[in-house]
Every structure is written in structure tokens, then in C-alpha cells.
Amino acid sequence: MLKTAILFVLWLLLPVLLPGVGAHAQTPALLDATRVPHVGEGGRADYRRFLLQPTPRAFALSENGAWGWAAAIEDNAAATERRALGNCAAYGGIGCRLYAQDLAVVWPEAASPAPTPPSTPLAGGEGWALVPDGRFLWQGPAAARGAYLWAHGRAAGGADSRGSQPQPHARAFNNAGYDVLRLDRDPETDETELGATRMRLALAELRARGYARVIAAGQSRGAWDALAALDAPGRADAVIAIAPAAHGPTGSVAHAWALEDLWQVVTTARAPTTRVAVATFAGDEYAPDPAGRAAAFARLAPSTAALLLLDRPRGLEGHGAGGDWRFTLRYAACLLDFAEGRRSGC
């Protein structure tokens, strides 16, 4: 987790993780690795990796130059803090203390509290809400670089996915100045067509509030809804669809027409100014006919500004692979670059 060989990957990420926050905002103290005391360049590089982690998270350091961090240990803040302090001590730290926790710098000599997002949904209706996610830094439409809208999947068995944390690659967008919002949907009314309609309404709300850029993103059914919103121009500046699906797991009767429905989504796309990234994974039980799906996704190219298709990348398998730390390290910065037009591929 600490002084490992993967640090070289971080140096590749550094130029794009913090490309300048919103036009009217300064870089929050939390995101400024040069402020981290006592540690050398290796520690600051590892701190940047820490900033891509989900919450709860904690970064500890010692005045003798050791450090350690942890994230999402049992989804428990106290357990995560203990692990971070233990990791720091295990690497030779003496008197390890927390430098950062979740969104705040807590080091006494440089404390900087987390910003406070709105406490209520920005918009909503029966069965849905547009919710600022308090686990991410918040700036508001006037200062933010843009809005990153995350739509969750539809859990098996009708489980409620509202409030679930967006996948870690969203941290790259948040660290670059995007506000992160969730499109929460009630599982009792979360039918496919309704989900797409709610996505369109949420995107229109973000446009109306004055965000300079709007990114529509999601996983599984949320990704499917984001792609469905491509049926008219201007709704989003970019779409990031992670393992899009809308027809249930292997064995579902709906798999018989899953590919046909996907073709319907891509052939109705009319979004000449929207950049679209799609990630699919080997061994995805929600994705019948992977080759046929790849061909369908490729059809988006002439109807959009640009298409990035990450088709079954090596070492990442299953429907939830977009939440894997390897996906984050490999592709988070690239997705940000692609969405903003600085890169054509990964």
C-alpha cells in the first residue's frame, strides 16, 4: 500500500489528476500534496493515490517521515483510522497522527475542514432525487469546473441502491473540480424507460443551474440510462457508461432481446457534441454476447463527438469491475482527459 512498485503509475497520473479546479476556485488544501509535511516525494505521490480512494479514508504520518493510509475498512471510519495509524507505525512511524480524514485536513498545524454541500436534493419527483453527495468535495455551480452525475445500478432482488457511493474513478473528476451528484432511484418504480426519463430531467436541471460542463455517468442500469439520454443533442458534454446493462443476469428471459434493445439505444443517439466512454468487462453475467455488444457500442462513433470503448480490458472481470482499484489507477485520469477532449484513447 505504501512504498511499492506501483508508485511509477502515479507519476503518470499526476499531470491530469489536478489540472486546475473551477475557474473561480482555488485548489482545496486537501488536494494539495505539497502541503503534506515531513514526507518526501514518495509520500506525496502515495498521498495522491489516497485521494482517489472511497470514504471512509484516513492518511497518517509521522514527523520521522513515515506514512500510511487506509480506505473503506469494513465501511467503518474508526476501523479505517486504526488501520491507517497501524500502517504508518508498521513502516517505522513514531507517534503517527492523522493528516487527512475523508475530505478534511485534520493535522493540527494545517487543519482545513471539509466544505458543506447542500443538505437537501437539488431536484426530484416521484421515485427519484438529484442528490449532492457529501462524500465528495463541493463547490457549487458558480465555482465548480462542472457537474458529474452518477446513476447507480438496479440491484438484484429489488434491493435499494439509493445512497450508494459512486465508483472511485469519480474522485478524479471531483479532484479536478467537478461537483459529484447522485441520481437516486426508488427500486419499486425503477423501470428502464422511467430511469432514462429521470436521467434526462436531472441533466436538464444541472444545465439550468449553470454548470459549465455536465458529465452523465453510471454503472449497469445507470450506465444504460446515461446512454439512452444521448437521443437528443446537448444534454451532456460527456457520458461515462460502466458495464451498461438493463436485462438482468445470466439466465434472465430478457437476455433474448438484450442486444436488440442495445442497438435501439445506440441507433437513436443524436449527440454530435457529446464524448462517450463505455467500459465492458469479461465475465460479466449481465452482458450477453460480448462481441455483439462491442459492435453495437462502436456504432455510437458517428453519432457522437468521440467514442472511447474499453472493451474487456485485461485483468478486470465481472459486472462490478469498474469499482476495482486497478480500474481506478489505470483509467480514472484517462476518463477525465477523454471527457474534456485532451485524449482520444487510453
Side-chain angles (χ1 to χ4, degrees):
M1 180 178 293
L2 300 175
K3 302 173 183 177
T4 66
I6 64 170
L7 287 179
F8 82 94
V9 178
L10 293 164
W11 294 112
L12 298 178
L13 295 178
L14 297 187
V16 291
L17 285 181
L18 301 172
V21 192
H24 307 292
Q26 295 181 342
T27 301
L30 176 78
L31 302 181
D32 189 351
T34 65
R35 298 190 185 194
V36 182
H38 305 304
V39 302
E41 287 306 313
R44 293 190 176 97
D46 209 25
Y47 181 75
R48 292 182 177 96
R49 181 174 180 234
F50 162 78
L51 292 174
L52 288 174
Q53 305 307 311
T55 61
R57 60 188 185 179
F59 188 95
L61 57 81
S62 166
E63 292 184 6
N64 70 353
W67 74 89
W69 59 265
I73 303 301
E74 301 172 358
D75 201 27
N76 181 295
T80 300
E81 177 181 340
R82 288 194 297 270
R83 180 71 62 83
L85 291 168
N87 287 337
C88 176
Y91 278 82
I94 299 173
C96 293
R97 294 183 291 162
L98 292 188
Y99 173 77
Q101 189 166 29
D102 292 340
L103 305 180
V105 175
V106 297
W107 191 257
E109 294 85 350
S112 177
T116 303
S119 59
T120 57
L122 300 189
E126 184 177 356
W128 71 281
L130 177 61
V131 183
D133 196 306
R135 294 162 294 197
F136 293 79
L137 295 168
W138 181 265
Q139 298 182 74
R145 190 184 189 108
Y148 178 97
L149 176 63
W150 176 258
H152 58 75
R154 184 177 184 182
D160 196 338
S161 296
R162 288 175 292 185
S164 56
Q165 189 165 178
Q167 288 183 343
H169 75 263
R171 297 280 167 188
F173 287 81
N174 188 232
N175 293 350
Y178 284 79
D179 286 343
V180 175
L181 305 99
R182 301 190 316 271
L183 177 54
D184 283 351
R185 311 183 309 277
D186 186 337
E188 293 188 3
T189 61
D190 190 22
E191 300 302 326
T192 303
E193 289 303 318
L194 268 178
T197 297
R198 291 161 177 170
M199 172 64 74
R200 297 180 186 107
L201 291 172
L203 292 173
E205 178 68 24
L206 294 173
R207 289 288 194 203
R209 286 179 176 266
Y211 278 102
R213 295 180 59 80
V214 175
I215 310 295
Q219 191 266 344
S220 192
R221 243 295 302 288
W224 185 280
D225 294 345
L227 292 174
L230 293 170
D231 62 349
R235 289 197 172 113
D237 296 287
V239 165
I240 298 174
I242 309 297
H247 296 79
T250 300
S252 169
V253 173
H255 270 200
W257 57 85
L259 190 58
E260 180 181 348
D261 285 356
L262 177 59
W263 275 103
Q264 178 66 21
V265 168
V266 301
T267 56
T268 57
R270 301 288 186 275
T273 62
T274 303
R275 302 174 67 82
V276 179
V278 179
T280 69
F281 305 104
D284 184 349
E285 66 274 25
Y286 287 78
D289 191 358
R293 281 165 54 88
F297 290 131
R299 178 63 180 79
L300 287 168
S303 304
T304 58
L307 174 66
L308 170 62
L309 178 56
L310 304 174
D311 183 27
R312 292 164 285 174
R314 291 183 184 178
L316 294 164
E317 295 191 4
H319 195 55
D324 190 299
W325 65 269
R326 291 168 295 184
F327 182 86
T328 304
L329 281 185
R330 199 182 302 175
Y331 296 119
C334 174
L335 289 171
L336 171 62
D337 262 6
F338 174 78
E340 295 196 332
R342 291 187 298 275
R343 188 180 297 187
S344 60
C346 293

